[in-house]
Amino acid sequence: MSDLATEARSDREGPEAERAKRRRPFWVELPMLAGIALVLAFLIKTFLLQAFLIPSGSMQNTLQVDDRVLVDKLTPWFGSEPDRGEVVVFRDPGGWLAGRPVKEPTTVQKALGFVGLMPAAGEQHLIKRVIGVAGDTVECKGEGPLKVNGKPLTEPYVFPGNTACSTDPEGQFKVTVPSGSLWLMGDHRQASQDSRYHRSDARGGMVPVTDVVGRAVVIAWPVTHWSTLPVPDTFDQPGLTPAP
């Protein structure tokens, strides 16, 4: 009886023991798991979310130097375009970053940035707030307020101590945004080289919608700065949208 029980137990354990023998050791599986993680990180960075590092104070106090923001890259795939009040990351439309030193990233930083495991390093990107979209007339006189289609904006996000409009020649303007373009300004009005200061270029300071990488939706790091980046209520006021 004992021999029969032993034989039956051996028959049951045989396949399991064989599978255990065929199971890969962890050190063999580790590179494969790491490869899968890198592919997933790359896909997330390319199609869903990408982290960006804030290099300057042009968006204070909304964003601080060295904050990390997460940028929504999925919505544009469905045809959505930037709207007034959104904070967007965009590629340099031509000469905006000329003369500004860009720290050369290390090989490791380049690799990790490429797959999305750390903020993109050394890339020519900027971050500003959308003030005007196609068809809008944006105007600054004196110290403000800033007006869109004749409607004055209440801007609690403007850096404390700043005026809504700068009184230098570049800060006094009235422009109409053409189709396919945006008028962008920093929240630190007296410390932002934005659309106002590039009106002499070929696009008159406008930024093509096609240069926008995506909308910044949340401050992810440091944790003490964690916050979402909603559209301020001032952009929802009645009559802001111009008549066709």
Side-chain angles (χ1 to χ4, degrees):
M1 187 71 175
S2 176
D3 291 341
L4 291 174
T6 301
E7 184 177 348
R9 186 169 61 252
S10 298
D11 289 342
R12 289 194 302 270
E13 292 177 351
E16 295 177 4
E18 188 65 27
R19 284 195 295 271
K21 290 179 182 178
R22 292 198 301 266
R23 188 176 298 133
R24 298 184 185 91
F26 178 72
W27 62 269
V28 173
E29 292 184 347
L30 182 59
M32 182 172 61
L33 294 174
I36 293 172
L38 290 175
V39 170
L40 289 175
F42 177 76
L43 292 175
I44 290 172
K45 170 215 168 183
T46 303
F47 299 106
L48 297 178
L49 290 171
Q50 183 175 358
F52 284 88
L53 173 70
I54 305 304
S56 73
S58 68
M59 281 295 293
Q60 289 176 320
N61 271 337
T62 304
L63 300 172
Q64 304 298 330
V65 177
D66 291 335
D67 279 354
R68 273 71 166 173
V69 297
L70 294 181
V71 173
D72 170 21
K73 300 178 73 174
L74 176 64
T75 305
W77 286 94
F78 294 95
S80 176
E81 293 190 354
D83 204 354
R84 303 182 198 92
E86 295 180 353
V87 176
V88 297
V89 169
F90 58 102
R91 290 177 287 274
D92 186 347
W96 285 37
L97 293 174
R100 299 188 191 182
V102 177
K103 185 178 179 181
E104 184 64 24
T106 65
T107 302
V108 173
Q109 288 174 325
K110 288 181 180 178
L112 294 178
F114 176 76
V115 297
L117 293 181
M118 69 174 293
E123 296 183 3
Q124 300 292 292
H125 290 96
L126 302 96
I127 185 166
K128 305 291 179 189
R129 189 180 297 276
V130 179
I131 300 298
V133 297
D136 285 346
T137 296
V138 185
E139 180 180 6
C140 256
K141 287 185 178 180
E143 294 184 346
L146 176 66
K147 294 182 179 180
V148 177
N149 300 321
K151 296 288 185 178
L153 299 182
T154 301
E155 299 184 283
Y157 47 81
V158 169
F159 186 77
N162 276 195
T163 54
C165 298
S166 300
T167 54
D168 55 307
E170 290 83 358
Q172 304 290 294
F173 61 88
K174 185 175 183 179
V175 297
T176 299
V177 184
S179 177
S181 298
L182 304 168
W183 181 265
L184 305 178
M185 296 173 68
D187 291 353
H188 198 338
R189 290 289 157 81
Q190 275 77 66
S192 176
Q193 295 294 311
D194 47 43
S195 288
R196 298 170 293 172
Y197 297 92
H198 297 278
R199 283 184 289 145
S200 61
D201 66 20
R203 298 186 181 90
M206 306 295 170
V207 175
V209 172
T210 52
D211 283 346
V212 174
V213 174
R215 175 186 174 185
V217 292
V218 66
I219 303 170
W221 187 263
V223 292
T224 53
H225 293 175
W226 190 92
S227 175
T228 57
L229 296 169
V231 173
D233 292 341
T234 190
F235 292 95
D236 294 329
Q237 61 177 296
L240 192 63
T241 301

